[in-house]
Coordinates of all heavy atoms in Angstrom, one line a residue:
L1 N 2.6 3.6 4.7 CA 3.6 3.6 5.8 C 4.7 2.6 5.6 O 5.9 2.8 5.7 CB 2.9 3.4 7.2 CG 2.2 4.6 7.7 CD1 1.3 4.3 8.8 CD2 3.3 5.7 8.2
L2 N 4.3 1.4 5.2 CA 5.3 0.3 4.9 C 6.2 0.7 3.7 O 7.4 0.5 3.8 CB 4.7 -1.0 4.7 CG 5.7 -2.1 4.5 CD1 6.5 -2.3 5.7 CD2 5.0 -3.4 4.1
N3 N 5.6 1.3 2.7 CA 6.4 1.7 1.6 C 7.4 2.8 1.9 O 8.5 2.9 1.4 CB 5.5 2.1 0.4 CG 4.8 0.9 -0.3 OD1 5.4 -0.2 -0.3 ND2 3.7 1.1 -0.8
H4 N 7.0 3.6 2.9 CA 7.9 4.7 3.4 C 9.0 4.0 4.3 O 10.2 4.2 4.0 CB 7.1 5.7 4.2 CG 8.0 6.7 4.9 ND1 8.7 7.6 4.3 CD2 8.3 6.8 6.2 CE1 9.4 8.3 5.2 NE2 9.1 7.9 6.4
W5 N 8.6 3.3 5.4 CA 9.6 2.8 6.3 C 10.3 1.6 5.8 O 11.4 1.3 6.3 CB 8.9 2.4 7.6 CG 8.4 3.6 8.4 CD1 7.1 3.9 8.7 CD2 9.2 4.7 9.0 NE1 7.0 5.1 9.4 CE2 8.3 5.6 9.6 CE3 10.5 4.9 9.0 CZ2 8.7 6.7 10.2 CZ3 11.0 6.1 9.7 CH2 10.1 7.0 10.2
G6 N 9.8 0.9 4.8 CA 10.5 -0.3 4.3 C 11.7 0.1 3.4 O 12.5 -0.7 3.2
K7 N 11.8 1.4 3.0 CA 12.9 1.9 2.3 C 13.4 0.9 1.2 O 14.6 0.7 1.0 CB 14.1 2.2 3.2 CG 13.7 3.3 4.2 CD 14.9 3.6 5.1 CE 14.7 4.6 6.2 NZ 13.6 5.3 6.4
G8 N 12.5 0.3 0.4 CA 12.8 -0.6 -0.7 C 13.0 -2.0 -0.2 O 13.0 -2.9 -1.1
R9 N 13.2 -2.3 1.0 CA 13.3 -3.7 1.5 C 12.0 -4.4 1.5 O 11.9 -5.6 1.4 CB 13.9 -3.7 2.9 CG 15.3 -3.3 3.0 CD 15.9 -3.4 4.4 NE 14.8 -3.3 5.4 CZ 14.8 -3.9 6.6 NH1 15.7 -4.8 6.9 NH2 13.8 -3.7 7.4
F10 N 10.9 -3.6 1.7 CA 9.5 -4.2 1.8 C 8.7 -3.4 0.8 O 8.9 -2.2 0.6 CB 8.9 -4.0 3.2 CG 9.7 -4.8 4.2 CD1 10.6 -4.1 5.0 CD2 9.6 -6.1 4.4 CE1 11.3 -4.7 6.0 CE2 10.3 -6.8 5.4 CZ 11.2 -6.1 6.2
H11 N 7.7 -4.1 0.2 CA 6.7 -3.3 -0.6 C 5.3 -3.6 0.0 O 5.0 -4.8 0.2 CB 6.8 -3.8 -2.0 CG 6.0 -2.9 -2.9 ND1 6.4 -1.7 -3.4 CD2 4.7 -3.0 -3.3 CE1 5.5 -1.1 -4.1 NE2 4.4 -1.9 -4.1
G12 N 4.6 -2.6 0.3 CA 3.3 -2.7 0.9 C 2.2 -2.7 -0.2 O 2.3 -2.0 -1.2
Y13 N 1.1 -3.5 0.1 CA -0.1 -3.5 -0.7 C -1.2 -3.4 0.2 O -1.1 -3.8 1.4 CB -0.2 -4.7 -1.6 CG 0.9 -4.9 -2.6 CD1 2.1 -5.6 -2.3 CD2 0.8 -4.4 -3.9 CE1 3.1 -5.8 -3.2 CE2 1.8 -4.6 -4.8 CZ 3.0 -5.3 -4.5 OH 3.9 -5.4 -5.4
S14 N -2.4 -3.1 -0.3 CA -3.6 -3.2 0.6 C -4.8 -3.6 -0.3 O -4.8 -3.4 -1.5 CB -3.9 -1.8 1.2 OG -4.3 -0.8 0.2
A15 N -5.8 -4.2 0.4 CA -7.0 -4.6 -0.3 C -8.1 -4.8 0.7 O -7.8 -4.8 1.9 CB -6.7 -5.9 -1.1
G16 N -9.3 -5.0 0.2 CA -10.4 -5.3 1.1 C -11.3 -6.4 0.6 O -11.3 -6.7 -0.6
S17 N -12.1 -6.9 1.5 CA -13.0 -8.0 1.2 C -14.2 -7.4 0.5 O -14.8 -8.0 -0.4 CB -13.4 -8.8 2.4 OG -13.9 -7.9 3.4
F18 N -14.6 -6.2 0.9 CA -15.7 -5.5 0.2 C -15.3 -4.0 0.1 O -15.7 -3.1 0.8 CB -17.0 -5.5 1.1 CG -17.5 -6.9 1.3 CD1 -17.2 -7.7 2.4 CD2 -18.3 -7.5 0.3 CE1 -17.7 -9.0 2.5 CE2 -18.8 -8.8 0.4 CZ -18.5 -9.5 1.5
P19 N -14.4 -3.8 -0.9 CA -13.8 -2.4 -1.0 C -14.8 -1.4 -1.3 O -15.8 -1.6 -2.0 CB -12.8 -2.6 -2.2 CG -13.3 -3.8 -3.0 CD -14.0 -4.7 -2.0
K20 N -14.6 -0.2 -0.7 CA -15.5 1.0 -0.8 C -15.4 1.6 -2.3 O -16.3 2.2 -2.7 CB -15.1 2.0 0.2 CG -15.3 1.6 1.6 CD -16.6 1.8 2.1 CE -16.7 1.5 3.6 NZ -18.0 1.4 4.1
G21 N -14.3 1.4 -2.9 CA -14.1 1.9 -4.3 C -13.4 3.2 -4.3 O -13.1 3.7 -5.4
A22 N -13.2 3.8 -3.1 CA -12.5 5.1 -3.0 C -11.7 5.2 -1.7 O -12.2 4.6 -0.7 CB -13.5 6.3 -3.2
V23 N -10.6 5.9 -1.7 CA -9.9 6.1 -0.5 C -10.6 7.2 0.3 O -11.0 8.2 -0.3 CB -8.4 6.4 -0.8 CG1 -7.6 6.7 0.5 CG2 -7.7 5.3 -1.6
H24 N -10.7 7.0 1.6 CA -11.3 8.0 2.4 C -10.6 9.3 2.3 O -9.3 9.3 2.5 CB -11.4 7.5 3.9 CG -12.3 8.3 4.7 ND1 -12.1 9.6 5.1 CD2 -13.6 7.9 5.2 CE1 -13.1 10.0 5.9 NE2 -14.0 9.0 5.9
P25 N -11.2 10.4 2.1 CA -10.6 11.7 2.0 C -9.7 12.1 3.2 O -8.6 12.7 3.1 CB -11.7 12.7 1.9 CG -12.9 12.0 1.5 CD -12.7 10.6 1.9
L26 N -10.1 11.7 4.5 CA -9.3 12.0 5.6 C -8.1 11.2 5.7 O -7.0 11.6 6.2 CB -10.1 11.9 6.9 CG -11.2 12.9 7.1 CD1 -12.0 12.6 8.4 CD2 -10.7 14.3 7.2
A27 N -8.1 10.0 5.1 CA -6.8 9.2 5.1 C -5.9 9.9 4.1 O -4.7 10.0 4.4 CB -7.1 7.8 4.6
L28 N -6.3 10.3 3.0 CA -5.5 11.0 2.0 C -4.9 12.3 2.6 O -3.8 12.7 2.5 CB -6.2 11.3 0.7 CG -6.5 10.1 -0.1 CD1 -7.4 10.5 -1.3 CD2 -5.3 9.4 -0.6
E29 N -5.8 13.1 3.3 CA -5.4 14.3 4.0 C -4.3 14.0 5.0 O -3.3 14.8 5.0 CB -6.6 14.9 4.7 CG -6.3 16.2 5.4 CD -7.5 16.7 6.2 OE1 -8.5 17.1 5.5 OE2 -7.5 16.7 7.4
L30 N -4.4 13.0 5.8 CA -3.4 12.7 6.8 C -2.1 12.2 6.1 O -1.0 12.7 6.6 CB -3.9 11.6 7.7 CG -3.1 11.2 8.9 CD1 -2.8 12.4 9.8 CD2 -3.7 10.1 9.7
L31 N -2.2 11.4 5.1 CA -1.0 11.0 4.4 C -0.2 12.2 3.7 O 1.0 12.3 3.8 CB -1.3 10.0 3.3 CG -1.8 8.6 3.9 CD1 -2.3 7.7 2.8 CD2 -0.6 7.9 4.6
H32 N -1.0 13.1 3.2 CA -0.4 14.4 2.6 C 0.3 15.2 3.7 O 1.4 15.6 3.5 CB -1.5 15.2 1.9 CG -1.9 14.7 0.6 ND1 -1.0 14.7 -0.5 CD2 -3.1 14.3 0.1 CE1 -1.7 14.2 -1.6 NE2 -2.9 13.9 -1.2
H33 N -0.4 15.3 4.8 CA 0.1 16.1 6.0 C 1.5 15.4 6.5 O 2.4 16.1 6.9 CB -0.9 16.1 7.1 CG -0.4 16.9 8.3 ND1 -0.3 18.3 8.2 CD2 0.0 16.5 9.5 CE1 0.2 18.7 9.4 NE2 0.3 17.7 10.2
A34 N 1.5 14.1 6.4 CA 2.7 13.4 6.8 C 3.8 13.3 5.7 O 4.8 12.7 5.9 CB 2.4 12.0 7.3
A35 N 3.5 14.0 4.6 CA 4.4 14.0 3.4 C 4.7 12.6 2.9 O 5.8 12.3 2.4 CB 5.7 14.7 3.8
L36 N 3.7 11.7 2.9 CA 3.8 10.4 2.3 C 3.2 10.4 1.0 O 2.1 11.0 0.8 CB 3.2 9.3 3.2 CG 3.8 9.2 4.6 CD1 3.1 8.2 5.4 CD2 5.3 8.7 4.4

């Protein structure tokens, strides 16, 4: 979302303290649905 709304002014990153190792499929589905 930040990479979308930031329009080049901001760059978003994400990380975790104990990463799962994979992006949740429903998160990817929602992002695809939002055309991100």
Side-chain angles (χ1 to χ4, degrees):
L1 284 162
L2 183 63
N3 287 331
H4 170 72
W5 291 115
K7 298 181 180 1
R9 293 182 331 144
F10 300 100
H11 190 84
Y13 298 92
S14 67
S17 54
F18 297 96
K20 299 274 187 192
V23 178
H24 196 288
L26 290 178
L28 290 174
E29 178 183 295
L30 186 58
L31 292 170
H32 283 296
H33 181 72
L36 296 176

